[in-house]
Amino acid sequence: MKLLHIDASPKGQRSNSRALARHFIACLREQNVELEIDYLDLTQQPPAHIDESFTIATYTPSAQRTAAMERTLAPSTALCRHVLDADALLFAMPMHNFSYPSVFKAFIDNIVRAELTYVVDESGQYVGQLNRQKALFITTRGTDMRAGMPLAHMDALTPSLNAAFGFIGVRDPSFVNAQPTQFAAAEARDAALARARIELLEVARKWAA
Ligand SMILES: Cc1cc2nc3c(=O)[nH]c(=O)nc-3n(C[C@H](O)[C@H](O)[C@H](O)COP(=O)(O)O)c2cc1C
């Protein structure tokens, strides 16, 4: 299985989401899944924010683009290749101010690309191209936003990931949300991580089946 593994936490070795992603990979290996891992650390190689030249080039049909436009789009095109070539996608990130870290937003802005990750068919419908990829989002949240908790309605991360990746064709992604990881007693934080590890093993078993 060719796995694209992306980390987006700025916390390096102290990051919970990074540790959980490594745990998931270990679970996959325990399930005898043979892995070819394509790894990107978005905090080390942050995708560029969208600028004016990108907005013009990206909506110019590929047959009409100039060489300069293609150069503008090249880093984004390369990122699209990473996701299109993968069999499975593993994205690990903390919640930052109710959604993803800005570096992951920049990543999304680079991979939602007409004629690459989505196409428009004859009837004007958008057709996502990531139909064959399994996907897992590991998110860590300092607070507890599970259903029924007082802050549950402030989770703008899950709906936004579903919208962006659903648009480019990802079907039925798995979510493992570790919460609360920060603003809670040590027992609650430990329990959150333990729950996440159990859920990750379940996803690994599903992927291995
Ligand atoms: C800038 C910043 C913003 C944050 N915003 C939120 C938030 O909106 N909701 C929340 O529950 N936790 C928030 N947190 C806490 C992190 O989501 C939490 O500590 C998480 O475990 C970090 O994951 P990591 O260790 O992989 O970086 C924030 C942390 C930082 C640094």
Side-chain angles (χ1 to χ4, degrees), residues 2 4 6 38 40 42 47 50 54 58 65 70 72-89 91 106-118 129-130 132-133 165 168 170:
K2 189 164 182 188
L4 174 62
I6 291 192
D38 177 17
L40 295 177
L42 297 184
I50 302 308
F54 185 102
T58 194
R65 278 183 204 137
E70 290 297 351
T72 295
L73 294 175
S76 151
T77 305
L79 282 176
C80 290
R81 284 264 63 91
H82 283 275
V83 290
L84 286 163
D85 291 350
D87 304 313
L89 307 168
F91 300 118
F107 171 73
I108 289 174
D109 288 340
N110 276 269
I111 63 158
V112 178
R113 279 279 307 279
E115 296 183 65
L116 279 174
T117 53
Y118 74 92
Q129 299 298 293
L130 296 177
R132 65 180 190 88
Q133 283 82 354
F165 285 86
I168 57 174
V170 172

Side-chain angles (χ1 to χ4, degrees), residues 124-142:
Q125 296 293 309
Y126 297 105
V127 184
Q129 299 298 293
L130 296 177
N131 303 308
R132 65 180 190 88
Q133 283 82 354
K134 301 174 196 300
L136 167 63
F137 297 100
I138 298 175
T139 80
T140 44
R141 295 111 184 260

Side-chain angles (χ1 to χ4, degrees), residues 125-190:
Q125 296 293 309
Y126 297 105
V127 184
Q129 299 298 293
L130 296 177
N131 303 308
R132 65 180 190 88
Q133 283 82 354
K134 301 174 196 300
L136 167 63
F137 297 100
I138 298 175
T139 80
T140 44
R141 295 111 184 260
T143 59
D144 193 342
M145 294 187 179
R146 283 177 292 169
M149 302 303 281
L151 298 180
H153 67 286
M154 298 178 85
D155 174 11
L157 175 55
T158 315
S160 188
L161 289 172
N162 268 322
F165 285 86
F167 183 75
I168 57 174
V170 172
R171 295 194 193 117
D172 198 23
S174 297
F175 284 84
V176 172
N177 305 318
Q179 54 193 332
T181 57
Q182 188 171 351
F183 310 113
E187 297 75 30
R189 300 199 305 263
D190 290 347

Side-chain angles (χ1 to χ4, degrees), residues 9 11 15-17 94-98 140-143 181-182:
S9 167
K11 279 171 53 185
S15 158
N16 283 314
S17 57
M95 175 181 281
H96 278 179
N97 296 311
F98 319 107
T140 44
R141 295 111 184 260
T143 59
T181 57
Q182 188 171 351

